[in-house]
Amino acid sequence: MTTSDIAQGDKNARPLSLSGHVGFDSLPHQLVNKSTCQGFCFNILCIGETGIGKSTLMDTLFNTNFENFESSHFEPKVKLRAQTYDLQESNVRLKLTIVNTVGFGDQMNKQESYQHVVDYIDTQFESYLQEELKIKRSLHNYHDSRIHACLYFIAPSGHSLKSLDLVTMKKLDSKVNIIPVIAKADTISKSELHKFKIKIMSELVSNGVQIYQFPTDDETVSKINTAMNGILPFAVVGSSEEVKIGNKMVKARQYPWGVVQVENENHCDFVKLREMLICVNMEDLREQTHTRHYELYRRCKLEEMGFTDTNPESKPVSLQETYEAKRHEFLGDLQRREEEMRQMFVQRVKEKETELKEAERELQGKFEQLKRLHSEEKSKLDEKRRSLEDEINTFSKKKAATELLQGQSFNTNANLKKDKDRKKSPEMEAKDVNLTCDEATNQNHNCCFRNL
Amino acid sequence: MSEVAVPEMMMPPPAMPAAFQVEKPVPGPGMGDFSYVGIDAILEQMRRKAMKQGFELNIMVVGQSGLGKSTLMNTLFKSKVSRKSVQATSQEKIPKTIDIKSVSHDIEEKGVRMKLTVIDTPGFGDQINNENCWQPIMKFINAQYEQYLQEEININRKKRIPDSRVHCCIYFIPPTGHCLRPLDVEFMRRLSKVVNIVPVIAKADTLTLEERDFFKQKIREELRANGIDVYPQKEFDEDAEDRMINDKIREMIPFAVVGSDQEYQVNGRRLLGRKTKWGTIEVENIAHCEFAYLRDLLIRTHMENIKDITSSIHYEVYRVRRLNENNTAIPCPPCPMIPHFPLKPL
């Protein structure tokens, strides 16, 4: 055993044998304890046509009633509905999220069906990536919403996969662990089922779809996993109703010709699915999601943004340079845009100014005009007033004179009146020409004159 | 089998590992209780995964020469893990500056594999002028964090990033019986912020029980007065049960330890101990010294917790600091699309 004296951090560890019981074999136990405290998280995505039995299977799988409601067949687009539940069994707490597709396969044109599913999965990866890249992050408290397992429900036609199935699975196989299941398997007979399974697997292989393979590297589970790999896809039947068989109540579907027991291995592969999905490989599914699918997404995303580990001469590029370059670019961009906006702003201001000046000038002109008109009118009115005043003056003078005359005529007798009238009347007549008002007095006088 | 319930339920407190869980057999097909779903089988799966991957532990020992650091390491892991056993040199020259030397071993017990790295710091506190003697150690610890950070932000990252971060630093206090020296206070004050420190009183067989208690009390007071938070830190207690356990530990630190890698015959049994003319000190006897408590704390009960605190708290603090130091240079509006990558070390 060569001893290797090491400076900082070299990894030439030498194997050593212990001469007594140290006690670190409790480490797995400590780890498990810690995880039990924190709780586990598992997210399943169920893809399948409406009415194919996704919700029922989930109910059966987790032995509860998840309060689902039936969806209509008339959805215009494929939607995804996610619901989270807290389950507990003995001392294990599980935060289970079930994501169902709503309206998958119902549209007339199914070309965009898979896109929504892909987008949803990417969104979950993205939010995890953002959390990981934050400065102040809390990965331990983060509710991991990445999809760990995807159950793809194949319709039990007995012939082969639909083209929608193939296309969807091909798009999803690099993003999520796909486990295909044949739904409503109680409509297929055993021999048909066997042929159907072979047909499906060969189609998947020939189209290059990579479904999830149960891991076979750990000896404890490799045998069972290899066996199960050969039984894929699982033919399942789901039921939440119970039927009495013998003296036990079992989950089953009752038909006039018999009872299909869900947990009977001869009837369907439900128990195998539950084994594989939950009891044996749940941790592996989570790990694959994190180390394979998520890493792939992360790598693609970061490369898309322009970050690389090595530059074209394959020398390791420090992220600093890439980052600085990007930052320069970004800042330059910002500055340019700021400049543009500033220019636009200045221009607009100028335009507005000229407009306002125009308006001002116009207003000024109008004002002048109005002022002129006003002063003209004023002078006219002044003139009129003056003339009116003159007339009033003359009239009042006349009035006074007439009254005087009247007084005089009443005081003297008729002759005198006559004389004076005769004297006065030509004067009065002369004055009459100028008098416009007071005809009455004139008429009086004329009457008097006539009477005489 | 308990039922699966939909509403959230309070978690029963985790049991102390007095006896380990019985290994559950892998459930085969056809074995089904009708109300049993099998969610708790995930514990078994995790355990299997952990056994397959193995564990890593990095312990640093800091203290003046001659305090028995290497012996204590050997006693803790019951094998020759210390640097001295590995090095071919027989001379013990006190180095002029502080060296940092780490030695790694692969050890296995009952199927659990562990890669143990012991980091030694010969020369600490041995010079005449000991100012800044913590600097090389700080630098080393930060360098490990930096290495992990660089690995983590790679585009193509490894499946499992090798963890060389120092999980635990055992600080050896010389058994003067009076109080902490300025060197001790200074070192622990600075390093308790970046790493989990476990202080121990070395060569405790020179103290009587009363002296020991008095010394411990003085040390605890001084630690409190200087605001030094040693492991287990009060602020990281998770719940009441945790706090209770940790409070008991906090009343006992620093552990007064005696190390030995030689076995003697005592009362018909072969035990690790130190033989003197006035008696044999049994290392694993809690009436004699507190080595057993230290071992239980470090290895049997709190190892995972120590690693957890290192990775989720100390490392995150370092990461935040590192990422922020870059961003204050040029004020850049927070853009969710551009991640915050740190600079390479200067």
Side-chain angles (χ1 to χ4, degrees):
Chain A
M1 215 184 308
T2 52
T3 61
S4 30
D5 197 9
I6 300 135
Q8 315 176 7
D10 198 348
K11 305 305 178 249
N12 265 331
R14 56 179 205 145
L16 206 57
S17 58
L18 306 170
S19 59
H21 176 69
V22 178
F24 62 84
D25 55 341
S26 69
L27 268 179
H29 183 88
Q30 292 178 35
L31 188 63
V32 161
N33 254 354
K34 178 182 77 157
S35 306
T36 323
C37 284
Q38 280 177 348
F40 298 92
C41 189
F42 195 59
N43 307 319
I44 304 184
L45 169 67
C46 294
I47 308 185
E49 296 166 357
T50 316
I52 206 170
K54 307 186 285 282
S55 316
T56 317
L57 186 67
M58 286 296 115
D59 282 352
T60 326
L61 208 55
F62 290 101
N63 209 12
T64 53
N65 184 7
F66 282 130
E67 284 159 33
N68 299 297
F69 42 92
E70 288 180 10
S71 345
S72 88
H73 283 260
F74 293 95
E75 300 281 344
K77 281 195 308 193
V78 174
K79 287 193 294 206
L80 286 116
R81 189 172 58 217
Q83 282 158 316
T84 311
Y85 307 95
D86 282 306
L87 305 177
Q88 179 160 357
E89 191 170 69
S90 43
N91 60 344
V92 177
R93 280 176 312 149
L94 179 72
K95 211 177 184 76
L96 176 73
T97 304
I98 300 184
V99 187
N100 268 323
T101 52
V102 174
F104 190 79
D106 274 339
Q107 292 80 32
M108 301 281 275
N109 181 0
K110 300 193 251 271
Q111 264 184 331
E112 292 301 308
S113 300
Y114 66 80
Q115 194 55 43
H116 296 279
V117 182
V118 170
D119 287 342
Y120 180 84
I121 297 177
D122 277 345
T123 317
Q124 310 314 309
F125 281 148
E126 182 63 33
S127 51
Y128 190 86
L129 182 65
Q130 287 301 324
E131 181 65 31
E132 199 186 23
L133 292 177
K134 269 197 205 158
I135 295 190
K136 272 206 161 70
R137 59 188 189 180
S138 54
L139 280 178
H140 291 258
N141 294 336
Y142 180 72
H143 173 51
D144 190 1
S145 58
R146 299 174 294 183
I147 304 290
H148 300 127
C150 169
L151 290 178
Y152 195 93
F153 287 72
I154 301 173
S157 62
H159 294 180
S160 62
L161 284 174
K162 300 202 184 117
S163 46
L164 174 65
D165 295 340
L166 276 173
V167 164
T168 313
M169 281 205 265
K170 189 94 183 89
K171 290 278 174 204
L172 292 177
D173 69 350
S174 59
K175 291 195 180 286
V176 75
N177 302 315
I178 301 186
I179 302 176
V181 295
I182 302 174
K184 297 197 169 171
D186 50 347
T187 52
I188 318 185
S189 72
K190 231 185 169 94
S191 51
E192 280 174 1
L193 188 63
H194 188 65
K195 273 188 268 180
F196 190 30
K197 282 192 187 183
I198 295 178
K199 190 80 207 298
I200 291 178
M201 290 311 277
S202 67
E203 275 197 349
L204 289 176
V205 165
S206 60
N207 281 291
V209 175
Q210 288 190 330
I211 56 174
Y212 177 71
Q213 294 291 320
F214 301 117
T216 49
D217 44 359
D218 188 348
E219 317 117 0
T220 18
V221 292
S222 68
K223 235 192 320 185
I224 185 173
N225 276 344
T226 349
M228 291 298 160
N229 274 332
I231 304 184
L232 279 177
F234 296 119
V236 294
V237 176
S239 166
S240 21
E241 287 155 3
E242 299 200 340
V243 172
K244 199 167 172 102
I245 302 276
N247 55 356
K248 281 195 291 192
M249 294 295 284
V250 298
K251 286 198 277 259
R253 284 176 67 77
Q254 175 132 59
Y255 292 108
W257 49 88
V259 179
V260 179
Q261 294 162 35
V262 167
E263 276 163 335
N264 185 334
E265 301 244 11
N266 293 327
H267 290 194
C268 73
D269 295 333
F270 172 80
V271 175
K272 297 195 180 80
L273 174 68
R274 187 175 59 192
E275 278 303 312
M276 288 292 107
L277 188 63
I278 302 176
C279 303
V280 179
N281 294 309
M282 200 196 282
E283 185 57 35
D284 186 66
L285 282 164
R286 289 173 5 139
E287 194 175 331
Q288 290 288 333
T289 309
H290 181 68
T291 53
R292 191 144 56 100
H293 301 294
Y294 170 70
E295 285 295 313
L296 181 65
Y297 173 82
R298 179 179 176 271
R299 205 178 317 142
C300 293
K301 197 65 197 278
L302 291 178
E303 273 173 5
E304 196 181 286
M305 289 205 277
F307 292 94
T308 48
D309 277 338
T310 62
N311 69 17
E313 296 103 46
S314 53
K315 276 200 296 233
V317 168
S318 88
L319 281 159
Q320 170 191 358
E321 289 164 18
T322 329
Y323 183 50
E324 286 296 298
K326 285 222 138 233
R327 221 195 202 158
H328 263 298
E329 224 184 282
F330 184 66
L331 283 176
D333 216 12
L334 269 184
Q335 275 176 349
R336 213 175 357 104
R337 266 195 271 158
E338 222 184 297
E339 264 311 304
E340 274 179 32
M341 285 181 68
R342 204 177 304 145
Q343 301 270 9
M344 221 171 25
F345 181 68
V346 167
Q347 202 179 359
R348 284 242 192 95
V349 165
K350 274 208 191 113
E351 279 174 18
K352 242 324 177 352
E353 256 185 46
T354 44
E355 249 177 75
L356 285 174
K357 277 213 178 96
E358 276 291 324
E360 203 185 329
R361 247 180 285 138
E362 239 175 277
L363 278 175
Q364 192 78 359
K366 275 204 189 136
F367 179 64
E368 302 273 299
Q369 203 183 11
L370 279 175
K371 203 162 152 189
R372 245 181 298 128
L373 280 173
H374 175 78
S375 54
E376 275 179 29
E377 275 202 37
K378 192 165 175 199
S379 51
K380 273 195 200 144
L381 283 173
D382 274 340
E383 268 186 51
K384 275 204 182 144
R385 181 151 47 104
R386 252 181 284 124
S387 59
L388 197 61
E389 274 179 3
D390 285 343
E391 283 172 11
I392 289 178
N393 279 341
T394 34
F395 172 67
S396 44
K397 277 192 206 142
K398 278 212 178 126
K399 190 173 170 195
T402 339
E403 279 175 0
L404 206 60
L405 272 176
Q406 255 189 345
Q408 285 178 353
S409 65
F410 280 134
N411 284 340
T412 56
N413 47 18
N415 295 340
L416 281 172
K417 249 200 234 177
K418 274 192 220 167
D419 286 342
K420 286 187 181 155
D421 276 353
R422 262 190 255 130
K423 276 187 197 167
K424 291 250 160 92
S425 58
E427 289 174 7
M428 299 232 1
E429 277 172 16
K431 283 183 188 163
D432 262 357
V433 178
N434 290 333
L435 265 180
T436 48
C437 45
D438 228 342
E439 303 264 350
T441 333
N442 287 346
Q443 274 178 9
N444 262 349
H445 290 303
N446 290 337
C447 286
C448 293
F449 188 60
R450 265 193 232 112
N451 284 343
L452 292 171
Chain B
M1 296 285 178
S2 53
E3 306 241 331
V4 172
V6 171
E8 257 182 333
M9 287 173 54
M10 263 304 288
M11 179 56 212
M16 281 295 282
F20 307 145
Q21 259 189 358
V22 172
E23 304 263 311
K24 261 171 74 172
V26 176
M31 228 175 81
D33 188 351
F34 294 126
S35 63
Y36 173 68
V37 176
I39 298 177
D40 51 358
I42 193 170
L43 297 181
E44 182 55 39
Q45 298 170 34
M46 286 205 77
R47 195 191 322 256
R48 249 189 302 123
K49 182 175 95 160
M51 305 271 282
K52 196 165 72 140
Q53 273 182 346
F55 295 86
E56 281 173 317
L57 183 66
N58 307 318
I59 300 188
M60 179 185 260
V61 282
V62 181
Q64 286 176 304
S65 338
L67 279 181
K69 306 188 292 279
S70 311
T71 320
L72 186 69
M73 280 293 110
N74 290 348
T75 324
L76 261 181
F77 290 100
K78 296 240 169 50
S79 57
K80 306 240 179 278
V81 295
S82 74
R83 173 188 56 95
K84 292 213 183 113
S85 334
V86 172
Q87 246 180 341
T89 61
S90 50
Q91 45 177 182
E92 263 317 299
K93 250 205 312 206
I94 294 181
K96 291 241 163 52
T97 54
I98 302 173
D99 269 338
I100 313 259
K101 294 219 169 77
S102 70
V103 183
S104 296
H105 309 271
D106 274 331
I107 43 183
E108 196 214 309
E109 188 175 48
K110 292 204 180 129
V112 178
R113 285 176 303 123
M114 181 157 90
K115 178 151 172 271
L116 172 72
T117 307
V118 178
I119 304 157
D120 204 353
T121 54
F124 176 82
D126 287 337
Q127 280 85 44
I128 293 181
N129 184 357
N130 282 317
E131 277 179 3
N132 305 333
C133 59
W134 55 81
Q135 265 177 5
I137 298 178
M138 264 292 233
K139 207 165 103 172
F140 178 81
I141 293 177
N142 284 337
Q144 305 313 305
Y145 287 147
E146 183 66 31
Q147 189 180 24
Y148 193 86
L149 181 64
Q150 289 299 330
E151 278 290 338
E152 197 186 32
I153 61 180
N154 258 345
I155 309 279
N156 287 314
R157 345 191 247 205
K158 301 197 182 112
K159 200 162 182 180
R160 221 183 141 216
I161 304 176
D163 191 358
S164 62
R165 302 174 288 192
V166 177
H167 298 128
C168 171
C169 173
I170 304 183
Y171 187 77
F172 285 73
I173 301 172
T176 59
H178 295 170
C179 58
L180 287 176
R181 301 165 303 156
L183 171 66
D184 304 332
V185 171
E186 200 52 39
F187 179 86
M188 282 202 274
R189 193 163 56 85
R190 283 169 192 272
L191 260 76
S192 60
K193 300 194 176 76
V194 296
V195 75
N196 298 319
I197 295 197
V198 177
V200 295
I201 301 175
K203 295 199 164 169
D205 49 342
T206 58
L207 296 170
T208 64
L209 287 179
E210 294 84 21
E211 286 169 352
R212 185 201 291 180
D213 283 335
F214 173 74
F215 191 27
K216 280 213 235 183
Q217 204 170 348
K218 281 298 285 195
I219 292 179
R220 280 199 291 269
E221 272 171 25
E222 284 203 37
L223 288 179
R224 223 190 330 258
N226 282 292
I228 302 176
D229 227 357
V230 296
Y231 185 80
Q233 291 96 336
K234 230 182 172 99
E235 43 181 343
F236 304 142
D237 284 340
E238 280 171 24
D239 50 25
E241 164 102 7
D242 241 10
R243 204 171 308 135
M244 215 168 55
I245 301 174
N246 288 346
D247 275 343
K248 283 205 210 102
I249 297 174
R250 280 189 277 266
E251 276 164 35
M252 285 204 284
I253 52 166
F255 294 117
V257 295
V258 176
S260 164
D261 41 11
Q262 285 185 325
E263 289 186 347
Y264 295 100
Q265 193 87 357
V266 176
N267 292 343
R269 285 151 54 206
R270 286 197 67 81
L271 294 172
L272 282 175
R274 283 173 68 75
K275 190 164 182 177
T276 62
K277 287 206 157 63
W278 48 91
T280 309
I281 305 160
E282 293 161 43
V283 166
E284 279 171 350
N285 186 340
I286 51 176
H288 290 195
C289 79
E290 292 175 333
F291 169 80
Y293 291 132
L294 177 70
R295 180 198 53 204
D296 284 347
L297 176 76
L298 268 190
I299 299 175
R300 292 190 188 171
T301 58
H302 283 72
M303 190 190 273
E304 199 54 45
N305 183 242
I306 290 177
K307 288 174 57 168
D308 216 16
I309 292 186
T310 309
S311 73
S312 60
I313 297 174
H314 293 299
Y315 169 69
E316 290 293 320
V317 164
Y318 176 80
R319 183 174 174 273
V320 168
R321 190 161 51 89
R322 199 72 177 78
L323 294 181
N324 271 333
E325 101 213 331
N326 182 25
N327 289 341
T328 51
I330 312 167
C332 183
C335 173
M337 283 313 283
I338 296 190
H340 300 271
F341 284 120
L343 301 167
K344 276 243 160 28
L346 300 163

